[in-house]
Amino acid sequence: MSVTPSIDGNISISAWVNFSNFDNTMAAIISKTSGSSGYGLEKTGDPENSRTISFWVGDGSSWVEVKTNTLLSNTWYHITGTNDGFTSKIYVNGLMVNSIAQGNPSANNGDFKIGLHSSIESSTSRYWNGLIDEVAE
């Protein structure tokens, strides 16, 4: 089922996540993207930081990500990404662990997806392999 909420401005998204490994980097937890607009939470695809979760924000011209600290597999984490129009922040279990300057996500027509990237559905590496609970936007 595809749900398409429209967000163009400040945003907070969160979910409880648990995964057994980081074999499929760039797997999406939450995603609503189209072109260079939108937002999402996903495993980090960078091999040097492959045990982290990223919060991505696209303002219509570029994407900026903010990453968690290194995470352990087989552990529940509450991950939250926020953006207030100036700064994107990522929280793990209620503690802010990183931030970066970034404008608001711009509106887009991508579908809001849980466990799957909203615009790259054909790549199985983007499918979440683990547990997701209590998604909030």
Side-chain angles (χ1 to χ4, degrees), residues 2 9 16 18 26 28 35 51 53 58 68-69 73 80 83 87 97 101 104 107 110 120:
S2 297
W16 282 94
N18 188 322
M26 298 180 71
R51 299 190 66 81
I53 301 291
T68 66
N69 48 346
S73 46
T80 302
N83 179 282
T87 306
V97 294
N104 287 119
I120 309 174

Side-chain angles (χ1 to χ4, degrees), residues 16-76:
W16 282 94
V17 297
N18 188 322
F19 41 85
S20 59
N21 60 55
F22 268 83
D23 291 347
N24 59 335
T25 60
M26 298 180 71
I29 301 166
I30 303 167
S31 177
K32 182 175 174 23
T33 65
S34 177
S36 59
S37 301
Y39 53 89
L41 287 172
E42 65 182 34
K43 289 181 182 177
T44 304
D46 178 352
E48 293 181 21
N49 298 301
S50 62
R51 299 190 66 81
T52 62
I53 301 291
S54 295
F55 172 52
W56 287 89
V57 171
D59 64 6
S61 62
S62 65
W63 288 96
V64 172
E65 77 175 311
V66 60
K67 301 175 188 176
T68 66
N69 48 346
T70 301
L71 302 176
L72 301 173
S73 46
N74 299 308
T75 303
W76 279 101

